[in-house]
Amino acid sequence: MLRTPTLSITDRFWLVAALVIAAMVLLPLGAIVWIAITPTGDIWGHLLTTVLPGSFKTTLMLMLGVGLTTCVTGVLTAWLVTMCNFPGRRFADWALLVPLAVPTYIVAFAYVEVLDYTGPVQSLIRDIFGFKTSRDYWFPEIRSLGGAIFVMGAVLYPYVYLTTRASFLIQSSSTLDVSRTLGASPYGLFFRVALPLARPAIAIGVSLALMECLNDIGAVTFFGVKTLTFSVYDTWLNRSSLGGAAQLALAMLAMVFLLLWLERFGRRKQRFDAGGGSKHRPPTRFDLSGWQSVLALGLCLTPILVGFVVPGLLLADRASRRLNDVFASGFLQAIWNSFYLASIAALLTVVISIALAYALRINSRGPLKIAVRLASIGYAIPGTVLAIGILIPLAGFDNFLDARMESWFGLNTGLLLLGSGTGLVYAYVVRFLAVSYGQVEGGFGRITPHLDMAARTLGRDTGETLTQVHLPILKPVLLSAALLSFVDCMKELPATILLRPFNFETLATTVFEAASREAFEEAALPSLAIVLVGLIPVIFLARSSASSFRTKMSTRQIDATS
């Protein structure tokens, strides 16, 4: 990091900007705390005895099941594609990421359509065996906690797969070769050497999956699973208790901070993960043949089939029956609403990320570092929690402005911010700022401080250095950050449901509303549109992760020979 002993006016501008951004991110959290501690009536006592125990227990069970499912699936597939040679390995290496393109609520509604009593699977069973009613045979109930675990595990395992695969790739082959020399079998090598070394990466992946699990509202609604997220939504909208919803949101925040602590605790020894230094060599793979290769390929293809192919084929089939809706005004309006909101939010997240990363580059002192870290916690905050925290300050501002304009000029401005979608953009920026900031910070980290010094020597201030030196270099990184933020905004459901203006639909809310009415064919076309858009960053992620590893390996080999 570049350190400057004295700060110019321009430098101070960047620092103040970073502090203001951090304050805007923390504003919803402060609003939630304020609403929760100043409710009307004995709401907390009622929630503590009725809603909270069941919701908390259900949420814990869901997170435990999803955590175990994603951990086993992600670690096993990462080990197979990294350490084993078998037919189809190269395909599985990138294809295991594609379930990330499908939001959990879309997979949920797809499997309800497939596995419900009236769906094709149970209908086929009744036709084959002559069963007349559901009492004649047993079939697992998809609308249940087990169904929610199955669907979320099928969609969220790539978080664990991606981080664990990266960890296995950078583990020193020397360490693994020594273990082989000492007689370690492939199973012993996995359980005693590779798995302990990958523990920090596994902890990161599982924590990301659990945060997405905690944020979900679409899948749990379809399955009738009353989690904390569902309870916040139900308490706010159906029971008209904003104070109660805020108190439940505080309980969710406690779980989020616990997850963050567990993730930090899990990678407290991360420095042991990547041994080998400049002499690092890619790991030597085991050659599989016969039934072993068939089993390995089957284990890798199963998550792809369950998490992407089956729901994708169902969506394509149902959408093909409603092709006339492509030109329907409602569908086109939903596409436009999703596009322009996501575009504005993505642009803002990139600009804000540049301000935060550059301010920290100029001066990495303690208070600023803390402010930047706080500004990046939005991704860990569930959308329902953010919606509550954003609604109150924006509604207060709207009401204040409306009252002043009415008294001064006789004008009625109404809900200027909430009614225009500003609240939605605010929620998107706060929630997905961390995604963009991680990309931008990594880009700045690859630019040597000597360029800053040279620019200063040539008379450029910090603003000119940013625009004339850094931004041209960072163009690919900024494009990547904007793309990832755009797609995340397109898929976001909880905050969109709660903060959208009246009679305002996006692709995500269109899917949710149609699926809630059991109108699966009506939901198929917007669902397919979201999936197709979501494939873009997944393909980019697969290509960039592979090229990044090749670049690191080439750099280390050059360092070793020089």
Side-chain angles (χ1 to χ4, degrees):
M1 288 293 179
L2 184 65
R3 296 177 182 272
T4 55
T6 58
L7 298 179
S8 66
I9 295 177
T10 310
D11 296 341
R12 289 171 182 166
F13 165 78
W14 291 106
L15 300 182
V16 171
L19 294 174
V20 170
I21 291 167
M24 292 184 64
V25 172
L26 293 176
L27 177 62
L29 299 183
I32 291 171
V33 174
W34 175 256
I35 301 169
I37 63 178
T38 59
T40 57
D42 186 22
I43 301 176
W44 180 247
H46 173 72
L47 293 175
L48 195 61
T49 56
T50 57
V51 179
L52 191 58
S55 299
F56 192 76
K57 179 182 178 182
T58 302
T59 304
L60 283 180
M61 293 176 64
L62 178 64
M63 293 175 67
L64 179 62
V66 171
L68 183 61
T69 304
T70 56
C71 183
V72 172
T73 306
V75 172
L76 179 60
T77 53
W79 173 260
L80 288 174
V81 300
T82 306
M83 296 299 299
C84 300
N85 273 325
F86 56 91
R89 185 193 67 81
R90 290 183 179 273
F91 169 78
D93 191 17
W94 65 265
L96 281 162
L97 290 172
V98 294
L100 278 179
V102 193
T104 53
Y105 55 87
I106 291 180
V107 180
F109 110 77
Y111 273 105
V112 166
E113 172 76 349
V114 171
L115 299 178
D116 205 10
Y117 177 77
T118 58
V121 174
Q122 293 202 52
S123 297
L124 181 62
I125 292 175
R126 289 194 298 272
D127 291 341
I128 292 175
F129 297 100
F131 297 133
K132 300 300 182 182
T133 66
S134 60
R135 292 190 296 270
D136 297 335
Y137 65 99
W138 178 86
F139 193 85
E141 177 57 56
I142 187 63
R143 297 177 186 267
S144 63
L145 178 62
I149 292 173
F150 165 73
V151 164
M152 290 189 184
V155 177
L156 301 178
Y157 80 85
Y159 287 107
V160 183
Y161 167 77
L162 191 60
T163 57
T164 309
R165 170 179 168 270
S167 177
F168 286 152
L169 284 171
I170 65 175
Q171 286 179 10
S172 173
S173 60
S174 301
T175 304
L176 302 179
D177 289 342
V178 169
S179 302
R180 288 175 174 177
T181 304
L182 295 175
S185 65
Y187 302 101
L189 191 66
F190 173 72
F191 286 106
R192 297 183 181 181
V193 181
L195 194 59
L197 288 174
R199 187 186 66 183
I202 296 172
I204 294 172
V206 171
S207 65
L208 289 172
L210 292 183
M211 287 177 191
E212 287 296 320
C213 172
L214 191 60
N215 178 63
D216 180 85
I217 192 172
V220 296
T221 301
F222 298 153
F223 291 133
V225 179
K226 296 183 179 180
T227 61
L228 282 171
T229 305
F230 176 85
S231 296
V232 170
Y233 176 81
D234 183 63
T235 302
W236 182 3
L237 296 185
N238 297 334
R239 303 183 186 182
S240 302
S241 176
L242 185 59
Q247 291 178 338
L248 290 173
L250 275 186
M252 290 182 65
L253 281 178
M255 297 189 72
V256 168
F257 290 134
L258 177 61
L259 281 176
L260 292 175
W261 178 82
L262 290 174
E263 183 265 333
R264 296 270 177 184
F265 180 80
R267 59 186 176 97
R268 68 194 185 282
K269 296 181 180 180
Q270 192 172 10
R271 62 184 180 273
F272 298 120
D273 192 12
S278 61
K279 296 182 180 180
H280 183 283
R281 293 184 291 109
T284 303
R285 296 191 181 95
F286 298 98
D287 291 320
L288 302 182
S289 60
W291 68 268
Q292 292 179 332
S293 63
V294 173
L295 178 62
L297 181 61
L299 290 174
C300 291
L301 291 182
T302 298
I304 302 170
L305 291 171
V306 174
F308 181 78
V309 175
V310 171
L313 290 176
L314 178 70
L315 292 178
D317 174 67
R318 297 297 188 268
S320 66
R321 306 176 187 179
R322 302 292 294 262
L323 291 181
N324 291 335
D325 292 348
V326 171
F327 303 103
S329 59
F331 180 63
L332 295 177
Q333 186 64 49
I335 291 178
W336 170 246
N337 291 342
S338 298
F339 177 80
Y340 89 78
L341 282 179
S343 299
I344 294 172
L347 178 62
L348 288 175
T349 56
V350 172
V351 172
I352 292 173
S353 298
I354 293 171
L356 291 175
Y358 195 53
L360 197 59
R361 184 180 179 89
I362 294 171
N363 181 12
S364 58
R365 293 175 184 173
L368 178 61
K369 187 177 292 187
I370 294 173
V372 171
R373 179 172 292 181
L374 290 175
S376 302
I377 67 172
Y379 191 74
I381 305 174
T384 48
V385 176
L386 270 181
I388 294 174
I390 288 174
L391 176 71
I392 298 307
L394 291 192
F397 177 82
D398 279 342
N399 291 331
F400 172 81
L401 181 64
D402 183 58
R404 298 286 78 78
M405 295 298 289
E406 178 72 26
S407 62
W408 293 343
F409 306 105
L411 298 177
N412 182 10
T413 59
L415 296 177
L416 185 63
L417 297 182
L418 290 175
S420 63
T422 303
L424 264 181
V425 174
Y426 186 12
Y428 291 161
V429 171
V430 172
R431 174 139 169 73
F432 301 117
L433 178 61
V435 177
S436 175
Y437 176 75
Q439 296 276 321
V440 175
E441 183 190 32
F444 271 113
R446 291 192 289 270
I447 299 177
T448 174
H450 297 300
L451 288 178
D452 301 63
M453 297 176 185
R456 294 292 182 91
T457 303
L458 294 174
R460 304 295 191 271
D461 60 21
T462 53
E464 293 171 331
T465 301
L466 174 65
T467 56
Q468 298 176 17
V469 178
H470 292 136
L471 292 185
I473 298 174
L474 291 173
K475 279 184 180 179
V477 173
L478 300 181
L479 178 61
S480 170
L483 179 63
L484 292 173
S485 301
F486 175 83
V487 175
D488 278 337
C489 294
M490 288 276 289
K491 297 190 296 183
E492 171 62 21
L493 179 63
T496 309
I497 291 177
L498 299 174
L499 288 175
R500 58 179 169 159
F502 178 73
N503 202 27
F504 185 92
E505 298 291 344
T506 65
L507 287 173
T509 60
T510 301
V511 173
F512 181 79
E513 294 293 341
S516 299
R517 302 192 311 269
E518 305 286 342
F520 294 109
E521 284 192 10
E522 185 179 333
L525 196 58
S527 298
L528 195 60
I530 293 174
V531 172
L532 293 177
V533 172
L535 277 174
I536 299 173
V538 170
I539 294 173
F540 176 83
L541 181 62
R543 295 183 61 184
S544 63
S545 63
S547 61
S548 175
F549 174 72
R550 286 194 295 267
T551 301
K552 290 179 180 179
M553 292 301 100
S554 300
T555 303
R556 287 176 174 177
Q557 289 170 3
I558 292 172
D559 292 340
T561 57
S562 61

